Amino acid sequence: MQVSKREHIVAQADRLFYEQGYEFTSFAHIAEAVQISRGNFYYHFKSKDEILEAVIARRLANTHAMLDAWQLQGDSPRARIDCFIQILVANSSKILKYGCPLGSLTSELAKLNHQALDRANDLFSLFRQWLGEQLVVLGFSPQQADTLAMHLLARSQGIATLANAFNDMAFIEQEVKLLNQWLDLQIQSLPR
Amino acid sequence: MQVSKREHIVAQADRLFYEQGYEFTSFAHIAEAVQISRGNFYYHFKSKDEILEAVIARRLANTHAMLDAWQLQGDSPRARIDCFIQILVANSSKILKYGCPLGSLTSELAKLNHQALDRANDLFSLFRQWLGEQLVVLGFSPQQADTLAMHLLARSQGIATLANAFNDMAFIEQEVKLLNQWLDLQIQSLPR
DNA sequence: GCCGCACTAGGACACTTGACCTACAAGTTA
DNA sequence: TAACTTGTAGGTCAAGTGTCCTAGTGCGGC
């Protein structure tokens, strides 16, 4: 049960870091959520940074798994990119409450000048690269694909931030529609 | 000198909240920055929330002043909206380091469930309304104008977030160009 | 001169933080 | 039985937190 227990701790920490932020979440918070004593905590993780590291590793692994699933699920690059866009809708209720898990963690770590910032940014890079690959398959040059991937990421981030600020679910749906229109336009303008 | 001193404290707190985040910034940090003793601090502000309130009020006032200046400076609504877009470029070096002051504060307060969140969101609303007004003058319906204003805000937020994560100044310039193109396209498609 | 006032320094307070330790129970191995 | 590993509980530590108090400064008005 040791693996499962550790996994349980990381999962709760992941949730709390997302919902409350890293800085605000203390050992006591996590320990209480996992129902273990504060002291016992130190057996599994010997510093707060170590938990953060584990949480980021977990997110990276989950993201990898998700991207792989999309790769199988979507039967065209366009459909796969749609999977990416749709997470805004799928996770909308959480986004309204807590914002984007990616963006909020990254910006918090950036402010704290935390050493794990680079690892957190790897999450962004993962999406960036994957989106780029899909776009290359669609016929864009690697450079064009990367530019479009960054644009997609930025749009998603902005949508999440504003939806969070104004607690506006309709805004998400509206912008998702615009994002799809924009993407189709880009694909249409490809030389064939 | 009491006004000036208080103003000085708020200015430093504003800077530190932006650069380090609200949660992480302590009384000691601010007191040290202002060169006063920690205890003295309590004479001017009797709680941390009160400082936050003052900082937000300051930002609201500054934003108001900025929007008024744009109103005089830009001789057309299109030129005024360009002022808004250009702050991404003007503040790019700070954005690369700390992200967007608006978005990062809002998302942090949202996570902390802080009561001042609504006041912080007023900052967003200020831009939203001002942008909407400009777009109405351009000929859009109030509803269209608000939709476009929200879109503009979201794009800006996304650009700031991604630029911050990847520390990429070229990305800002690239996206600013796209934003201008998009806006001109919207204006062109207006019925006349 | 004296008083009142805006302002300041420094510390006390109760509490929380991450970090660390010891004690111990249960299970495994020898 | 004895030694060892694994996991847990609970307490302790120094440092730091926001809050609050008191003593005192300098200065303008009376």
Short mmCIF file of all heavy atoms in Angstrom, two decimals, chain A residues 118-170:
data_model
loop_
_atom_site.label_atom_id
_atom_site.label_comp_id
_atom_site.label_asym_id
_atom_site.label_seq_id
_atom_site.Cartn_x
_atom_site.Cartn_y
_atom_site.Cartn_z
N ASP A 118 10.77 25.90 -14.06
CA ASP A 118 11.12 25.31 -15.36
C ASP A 118 10.35 24.02 -15.60
O ASP A 118 9.85 23.78 -16.71
CB ASP A 118 12.63 25.05 -15.42
CG ASP A 118 13.41 26.34 -15.49
OD1 ASP A 118 12.83 27.35 -15.95
OD2 ASP A 118 14.59 26.35 -15.11
N ARG A 119 10.28 23.23 -14.55
CA ARG A 119 9.55 21.96 -14.68
C ARG A 119 8.07 22.23 -14.97
O ARG A 119 7.44 21.53 -15.76
CB ARG A 119 9.69 21.14 -13.40
CG ARG A 119 11.10 20.69 -13.12
CD ARG A 119 11.37 19.31 -13.64
NE ARG A 119 10.55 18.31 -12.97
CZ ARG A 119 10.20 17.16 -13.54
NH1 ARG A 119 10.61 16.88 -14.76
NH2 ARG A 119 9.48 16.30 -12.88
N ALA A 120 7.53 23.25 -14.30
CA ALA A 120 6.12 23.58 -14.53
C ALA A 120 5.92 24.05 -15.97
O ALA A 120 4.91 23.74 -16.61
CB ALA A 120 5.68 24.65 -13.55
N ASN A 121 6.90 24.77 -16.48
CA ASN A 121 6.78 25.24 -17.85
C ASN A 121 6.87 24.10 -18.86
O ASN A 121 6.39 24.22 -19.98
CB ASN A 121 7.87 26.28 -18.13
CG ASN A 121 7.52 27.62 -17.54
OD1 ASN A 121 6.36 27.88 -17.20
ND2 ASN A 121 8.51 28.49 -17.41
N ASP A 122 7.49 23.00 -18.43
CA ASP A 122 7.53 21.83 -19.31
C ASP A 122 6.12 21.39 -19.68
O ASP A 122 5.90 20.85 -20.77
CB ASP A 122 8.26 20.67 -18.61
CG ASP A 122 9.76 20.90 -18.55
OD1 ASP A 122 10.23 21.81 -19.26
OD2 ASP A 122 10.45 20.19 -17.82
N LEU A 123 5.18 21.62 -18.76
CA LEU A 123 3.79 21.28 -19.04
C LEU A 123 3.28 22.07 -20.24
O LEU A 123 2.63 21.53 -21.13
CB LEU A 123 2.93 21.58 -17.81
CG LEU A 123 2.82 20.45 -16.79
CD1 LEU A 123 2.28 20.96 -15.47
CD2 LEU A 123 1.90 19.36 -17.34
N PHE A 124 3.58 23.37 -20.20
CA PHE A 124 3.20 24.20 -21.35
C PHE A 124 3.87 23.70 -22.62
O PHE A 124 3.25 23.59 -23.68
CB PHE A 124 3.62 25.66 -21.10
CG PHE A 124 2.51 26.52 -20.56
CD1 PHE A 124 2.71 27.29 -19.43
CD2 PHE A 124 1.29 26.58 -21.19
CE1 PHE A 124 1.69 28.09 -18.93
CE2 PHE A 124 0.27 27.38 -20.70
CZ PHE A 124 0.48 28.13 -19.56
N SER A 125 5.15 23.39 -22.50
CA SER A 125 5.91 22.94 -23.67
C SER A 125 5.33 21.66 -24.25
O SER A 125 5.34 21.45 -25.47
CB SER A 125 7.37 22.71 -23.28
OG SER A 125 7.95 23.92 -22.84
N LEU A 126 4.84 20.82 -23.36
CA LEU A 126 4.25 19.56 -23.80
C LEU A 126 3.08 19.82 -24.74
O LEU A 126 3.01 19.25 -25.84
CB LEU A 126 3.77 18.79 -22.56
CG LEU A 126 3.67 17.27 -22.67
CD1 LEU A 126 5.02 16.69 -23.05
CD2 LEU A 126 3.21 16.68 -21.35
N PHE A 127 2.18 20.68 -24.31
CA PHE A 127 1.04 21.04 -25.15
C PHE A 127 1.51 21.73 -26.44
O PHE A 127 1.02 21.45 -27.53
CB PHE A 127 0.09 21.98 -24.39
CG PHE A 127 -0.83 21.27 -23.44
CD1 PHE A 127 -0.64 21.36 -22.07
CD2 PHE A 127 -1.88 20.51 -23.92
CE1 PHE A 127 -1.50 20.71 -21.20
CE2 PHE A 127 -2.74 19.86 -23.04
CZ PHE A 127 -2.54 19.96 -21.68
N ARG A 128 2.45 22.65 -26.25
CA ARG A 128 2.95 23.40 -27.40
C ARG A 128 3.48 22.47 -28.48
O ARG A 128 3.16 22.60 -29.66
CB ARG A 128 4.07 24.33 -26.92
CG ARG A 128 4.73 25.15 -28.02
CD ARG A 128 5.85 26.00 -27.44
NE ARG A 128 6.41 26.91 -28.41
CZ ARG A 128 7.31 27.86 -28.12
NH1 ARG A 128 7.72 28.01 -26.86
NH2 ARG A 128 7.79 28.66 -29.05
N GLN A 129 4.28 21.49 -28.05
CA GLN A 129 4.89 20.58 -29.01
C GLN A 129 3.84 19.69 -29.65
O GLN A 129 3.83 19.49 -30.87
CB GLN A 129 5.94 19.73 -28.29
CG GLN A 129 6.91 19.05 -29.25
CD GLN A 129 7.85 18.13 -28.50
OE1 GLN A 129 8.18 18.39 -27.34
NE2 GLN A 129 8.28 17.06 -29.14
N TRP A 130 2.95 19.17 -28.83
CA TRP A 130 1.91 18.26 -29.34
C TRP A 130 1.01 18.98 -30.35
O TRP A 130 0.74 18.46 -31.44
CB TRP A 130 1.08 17.73 -28.17
CG TRP A 130 0.06 16.72 -28.58
CD1 TRP A 130 0.24 15.38 -28.75
CD2 TRP A 130 -1.32 16.98 -28.89
NE1 TRP A 130 -0.93 14.78 -29.12
CE2 TRP A 130 -1.92 15.74 -29.23
CE3 TRP A 130 -2.10 18.13 -28.90
CZ2 TRP A 130 -3.25 15.63 -29.57
CZ3 TRP A 130 -3.44 18.01 -29.26
CH2 TRP A 130 -4.00 16.77 -29.59
N LEU A 131 0.57 20.19 -30.00
CA LEU A 131 -0.25 20.97 -30.93
C LEU A 131 0.52 21.24 -32.21
O LEU A 131 -0.03 21.13 -33.32
CB LEU A 131 -0.67 22.29 -30.27
CG LEU A 131 -1.76 22.22 -29.21
CD1 LEU A 131 -1.90 23.55 -28.48
CD2 LEU A 131 -3.09 21.81 -29.82
N GLY A 132 1.80 21.57 -32.06
CA GLY A 132 2.64 21.82 -33.22
C GLY A 132 2.69 20.61 -34.15
O GLY A 132 2.54 20.74 -35.37
N GLU A 133 2.83 19.44 -33.55
CA GLU A 133 2.89 18.21 -34.36
C GLU A 133 1.59 18.01 -35.15
O GLU A 133 1.62 17.66 -36.33
CB GLU A 133 3.13 16.99 -33.44
CG GLU A 133 4.56 16.88 -32.95
CD GLU A 133 4.69 15.90 -31.80
OE1 GLU A 133 3.73 15.13 -31.57
OE2 GLU A 133 5.74 15.90 -31.13
N GLN A 134 0.47 18.22 -34.49
CA GLN A 134 -0.81 18.05 -35.17
C GLN A 134 -0.91 19.01 -36.36
O GLN A 134 -1.39 18.64 -37.44
CB GLN A 134 -1.97 18.33 -34.21
CG GLN A 134 -1.95 17.52 -32.92
CD GLN A 134 -1.86 16.03 -33.17
OE1 GLN A 134 -2.53 15.50 -34.04
NE2 GLN A 134 -1.01 15.35 -32.40
N LEU A 135 -0.43 20.23 -36.14
CA LEU A 135 -0.54 21.23 -37.19
C LEU A 135 0.40 20.94 -38.36
O LEU A 135 0.08 21.22 -39.52
CB LEU A 135 -0.26 22.62 -36.60
CG LEU A 135 -1.37 23.13 -35.67
CD1 LEU A 135 -0.86 24.22 -34.73
CD2 LEU A 135 -2.56 23.64 -36.48
N VAL A 136 1.54 20.35 -38.03
CA VAL A 136 2.46 19.96 -39.10
C VAL A 136 1.82 18.89 -39.97
O VAL A 136 1.91 18.92 -41.21
CB VAL A 136 3.80 19.47 -38.51
CG1 VAL A 136 4.59 18.71 -39.56
CG2 VAL A 136 4.61 20.65 -37.98
N VAL A 137 1.16 17.93 -39.33
CA VAL A 137 0.47 16.88 -40.10
C VAL A 137 -0.59 17.49 -41.01
O VAL A 137 -0.83 17.02 -42.11
CB VAL A 137 -0.17 15.84 -39.14
CG1 VAL A 137 -0.99 14.83 -39.92
CG2 VAL A 137 0.89 15.14 -38.32
N LEU A 138 -1.19 18.57 -40.53
CA LEU A 138 -2.22 19.24 -41.34
C LEU A 138 -1.62 19.94 -42.56
O LEU A 138 -2.36 20.30 -43.48
CB LEU A 138 -2.97 20.26 -40.48
CG LEU A 138 -4.09 19.71 -39.60
CD1 LEU A 138 -4.62 20.77 -38.67
CD2 LEU A 138 -5.22 19.17 -40.47
N GLY A 139 -0.31 20.15 -42.55
CA GLY A 139 0.32 20.74 -43.72
C GLY A 139 1.06 22.05 -43.46
O GLY A 139 1.62 22.64 -44.38
N PHE A 140 1.06 22.49 -42.23
CA PHE A 140 1.80 23.72 -41.92
C PHE A 140 3.28 23.43 -41.78
O PHE A 140 3.68 22.31 -41.44
CB PHE A 140 1.28 24.34 -40.61
CG PHE A 140 -0.13 24.84 -40.67
CD1 PHE A 140 -1.17 24.06 -40.21
CD2 PHE A 140 -0.41 26.08 -41.23
CE1 PHE A 140 -2.49 24.52 -40.27
CE2 PHE A 140 -1.72 26.54 -41.28
CZ PHE A 140 -2.76 25.76 -40.81
N SER A 141 4.08 24.45 -42.07
CA SER A 141 5.52 24.32 -41.84
C SER A 141 5.76 24.28 -40.34
O SER A 141 4.94 24.77 -39.57
CB SER A 141 6.25 25.51 -42.45
OG SER A 141 6.07 26.65 -41.63
N PRO A 142 6.86 23.69 -39.91
CA PRO A 142 7.15 23.63 -38.47
C PRO A 142 7.09 24.99 -37.81
O PRO A 142 6.56 25.12 -36.69
CB PRO A 142 8.58 23.06 -38.43
CG PRO A 142 8.70 22.25 -39.67
CD PRO A 142 7.89 22.98 -40.71
N GLN A 143 7.59 26.00 -38.49
CA GLN A 143 7.57 27.34 -37.91
C GLN A 143 6.14 27.87 -37.78
O GLN A 143 5.74 28.36 -36.72
CB GLN A 143 8.39 28.29 -38.78
CG GLN A 143 9.05 29.40 -38.00
CD GLN A 143 10.02 30.18 -38.86
OE1 GLN A 143 9.85 30.28 -40.07
NE2 GLN A 143 11.04 30.75 -38.24
N GLN A 144 5.39 27.75 -38.86
CA GLN A 144 3.98 28.16 -38.81
C GLN A 144 3.23 27.40 -37.73
O GLN A 144 2.46 27.98 -36.96
CB GLN A 144 3.29 27.85 -40.15
CG GLN A 144 3.57 28.83 -41.27
CD GLN A 144 2.88 28.36 -42.56
OE1 GLN A 144 2.99 27.19 -42.92
NE2 GLN A 144 2.19 29.28 -43.23
N ALA A 145 3.50 26.11 -37.66
CA ALA A 145 2.79 25.25 -36.70
C ALA A 145 3.06 25.72 -35.27
O ALA A 145 2.15 25.80 -34.45
CB ALA A 145 3.22 23.80 -36.87
N ASP A 146 4.30 26.04 -34.98
CA ASP A 146 4.64 26.48 -33.63
C ASP A 146 3.97 27.81 -33.30
O ASP A 146 3.47 28.02 -32.20
CB ASP A 146 6.16 26.61 -33.48
CG ASP A 146 6.55 26.93 -32.04
OD1 ASP A 146 6.18 26.14 -31.15
OD2 ASP A 146 7.20 27.97 -31.81
N THR A 147 3.96 28.71 -34.29
CA THR A 147 3.30 30.00 -34.08
C THR A 147 1.82 29.81 -33.78
O THR A 147 1.27 30.42 -32.85
CB THR A 147 3.46 30.88 -35.33
OG1 THR A 147 4.84 31.06 -35.59
CG2 THR A 147 2.80 32.23 -35.13
N LEU A 148 1.19 28.94 -34.55
CA LEU A 148 -0.24 28.69 -34.34
C LEU A 148 -0.48 27.99 -33.01
O LEU A 148 -1.46 28.27 -32.31
CB LEU A 148 -0.79 27.85 -35.50
CG LEU A 148 -0.77 28.52 -36.87
CD1 LEU A 148 -1.26 27.55 -37.95
CD2 LEU A 148 -1.64 29.78 -36.87
N ALA A 149 0.42 27.08 -32.65
CA ALA A 149 0.27 26.37 -31.38
C ALA A 149 0.33 27.36 -30.22
O ALA A 149 -0.48 27.30 -29.28
CB ALA A 149 1.36 25.31 -31.24
N MET A 150 1.29 28.27 -30.28
CA MET A 150 1.41 29.29 -29.23
C MET A 150 0.16 30.15 -29.18
O MET A 150 -0.33 30.51 -28.11
CB MET A 150 2.64 30.16 -29.48
CG MET A 150 3.95 29.51 -29.12
SD MET A 150 4.16 29.36 -27.32
CE MET A 150 4.72 31.01 -26.89
N HIS A 151 -0.33 30.48 -30.36
CA HIS A 151 -1.55 31.29 -30.41
C HIS A 151 -2.72 30.57 -29.75
O HIS A 151 -3.47 31.15 -28.95
CB HIS A 151 -1.89 31.62 -31.86
CG HIS A 151 -3.05 32.53 -32.03
ND1 HIS A 151 -2.95 33.90 -31.97
CD2 HIS A 151 -4.37 32.27 -32.23
CE1 HIS A 151 -4.15 34.45 -32.13
NE2 HIS A 151 -5.03 33.48 -32.29
N LEU A 152 -2.85 29.29 -30.05
CA LEU A 152 -3.92 28.48 -29.44
C LEU A 152 -3.79 28.45 -27.92
O LEU A 152 -4.77 28.60 -27.19
CB LEU A 152 -3.85 27.05 -29.98
CG LEU A 152 -4.73 26.71 -31.17
CD1 LEU A 152 -4.32 25.38 -31.79
CD2 LEU A 152 -6.19 26.63 -30.72
N LEU A 153 -2.57 28.23 -27.46
CA LEU A 153 -2.33 28.19 -26.01
C LEU A 153 -2.69 29.52 -25.36
O LEU A 153 -3.34 29.57 -24.31
CB LEU A 153 -0.86 27.86 -25.74
CG LEU A 153 -0.47 26.38 -25.80
CD1 LEU A 153 1.04 26.22 -25.69
CD2 LEU A 153 -1.15 25.62 -24.67
N ALA A 154 -2.26 30.60 -26.00
CA ALA A 154 -2.52 31.92 -25.43
C ALA A 154 -4.02 32.19 -25.37
O ALA A 154 -4.54 32.69 -24.36
CB ALA A 154 -1.81 32.99 -26.26
N ARG A 155 -4.71 31.89 -26.45
CA ARG A 155 -6.15 32.09 -26.46
C ARG A 155 -6.81 31.31 -25.34
O ARG A 155 -7.68 31.83 -24.62
CB ARG A 155 -6.74 31.66 -27.81
CG ARG A 155 -6.36 32.54 -28.99
CD ARG A 155 -7.29 33.74 -29.14
NE ARG A 155 -8.58 33.39 -29.69
CZ ARG A 155 -8.89 33.42 -30.99
NH1 ARG A 155 -7.98 33.79 -31.88
NH2 ARG A 155 -10.10 33.12 -31.39
N SER A 156 -6.40 30.06 -25.17
CA SER A 156 -6.99 29.22 -24.11
C SER A 156 -6.74 29.83 -22.74
O SER A 156 -7.64 29.90 -21.89
CB SER A 156 -6.39 27.82 -24.15
OG SER A 156 -6.43 27.29 -25.44
N GLN A 157 -5.53 30.26 -22.52
CA GLN A 157 -5.19 30.88 -21.25
C GLN A 157 -6.04 32.11 -20.98
O GLN A 157 -6.57 32.30 -19.89
CB GLN A 157 -3.70 31.29 -21.22
CG GLN A 157 -2.76 30.15 -20.95
CD GLN A 157 -3.04 29.50 -19.62
OE1 GLN A 157 -3.14 30.17 -18.61
NE2 GLN A 157 -3.22 28.19 -19.62
N GLY A 158 -6.14 32.95 -21.99
CA GLY A 158 -6.92 34.16 -21.83
C GLY A 158 -8.38 33.87 -21.53
O GLY A 158 -8.99 34.50 -20.66
N ILE A 159 -8.92 32.89 -22.22
CA ILE A 159 -10.32 32.52 -22.00
C ILE A 159 -10.51 32.05 -20.56
O ILE A 159 -11.45 32.46 -19.87
CB ILE A 159 -10.73 31.41 -23.00
CG1 ILE A 159 -10.72 31.96 -24.42
CG2 ILE A 159 -12.10 30.85 -22.64
CD1 ILE A 159 -10.80 30.89 -25.50
N ALA A 160 -9.58 31.22 -20.10
CA ALA A 160 -9.69 30.70 -18.72
C ALA A 160 -9.60 31.84 -17.71
O ALA A 160 -10.38 31.90 -16.75
CB ALA A 160 -8.59 29.68 -18.46
N THR A 161 -8.67 32.76 -17.92
CA THR A 161 -8.49 33.86 -16.97
C THR A 161 -9.73 34.74 -16.89
O THR A 161 -10.21 35.07 -15.80
CB THR A 161 -7.29 34.72 -17.39
OG1 THR A 161 -6.14 33.89 -17.53
CG2 THR A 161 -7.00 35.79 -16.34
N LEU A 162 -10.24 35.12 -18.05
CA LEU A 162 -11.41 36.00 -18.04
C LEU A 162 -12.66 35.30 -17.52
O LEU A 162 -13.45 35.88 -16.76
CB LEU A 162 -11.67 36.53 -19.45
CG LEU A 162 -11.06 37.87 -19.83
CD1 LEU A 162 -11.82 39.02 -19.18
CD2 LEU A 162 -9.60 37.95 -19.42
N ALA A 163 -12.83 34.05 -17.91
CA ALA A 163 -13.99 33.29 -17.43
C ALA A 163 -13.94 33.18 -15.91
O ALA A 163 -14.95 33.30 -15.23
CB ALA A 163 -14.01 31.91 -18.06
N ASN A 164 -12.74 32.99 -15.39
CA ASN A 164 -12.55 32.91 -13.95
C ASN A 164 -12.89 34.24 -13.28
O ASN A 164 -13.62 34.29 -12.29
CB ASN A 164 -11.10 32.50 -13.65
CG ASN A 164 -10.78 32.49 -12.17
OD1 ASN A 164 -9.84 33.13 -11.73
ND2 ASN A 164 -11.55 31.76 -11.39
N ALA A 165 -12.38 35.32 -13.86
CA ALA A 165 -12.60 36.63 -13.26
C ALA A 165 -14.08 37.00 -13.26
O ALA A 165 -14.62 37.46 -12.25
CB ALA A 165 -11.79 37.69 -14.01
N PHE A 166 -14.75 36.77 -14.38
CA PHE A 166 -16.15 37.19 -14.48
C PHE A 166 -17.13 36.06 -14.18
O PHE A 166 -18.34 36.25 -14.28
CB PHE A 166 -16.42 37.77 -15.87
CG PHE A 166 -15.80 39.11 -16.09
CD1 PHE A 166 -14.70 39.27 -16.92
CD2 PHE A 166 -16.30 40.23 -15.43
CE1 PHE A 166 -14.12 40.51 -17.11
CE2 PHE A 166 -15.72 41.47 -15.62
CZ PHE A 166 -14.62 41.61 -16.45
N ASN A 167 -16.57 34.89 -13.86
CA ASN A 167 -17.42 33.73 -13.52
C ASN A 167 -18.48 33.52 -14.60
O ASN A 167 -19.67 33.37 -14.32
CB ASN A 167 -18.07 33.97 -12.16
CG ASN A 167 -18.61 32.68 -11.58
OD1 ASN A 167 -17.90 31.67 -11.58
ND2 ASN A 167 -19.83 32.70 -11.10
N ASP A 168 -18.02 33.51 -15.84
CA ASP A 168 -18.94 33.56 -16.98
C ASP A 168 -18.77 32.33 -17.87
O ASP A 168 -17.82 32.24 -18.64
CB ASP A 168 -18.65 34.85 -17.77
CG ASP A 168 -19.64 35.08 -18.89
OD1 ASP A 168 -20.36 34.13 -19.26
OD2 ASP A 168 -19.72 36.22 -19.38
N MET A 169 -19.70 31.41 -17.74
CA MET A 169 -19.59 30.17 -18.52
C MET A 169 -19.94 30.37 -19.97
O MET A 169 -19.35 29.78 -20.87
CB MET A 169 -20.47 29.09 -17.91
CG MET A 169 -20.24 27.73 -18.55
SD MET A 169 -21.01 26.35 -17.69
CE MET A 169 -20.07 26.25 -16.19
N ALA A 170 -20.89 31.25 -20.23
CA ALA A 170 -21.29 31.52 -21.62
C ALA A 170 -20.10 32.06 -22.41
O ALA A 170 -19.96 31.77 -23.61
CB ALA A 170 -22.44 32.52 -21.65
#
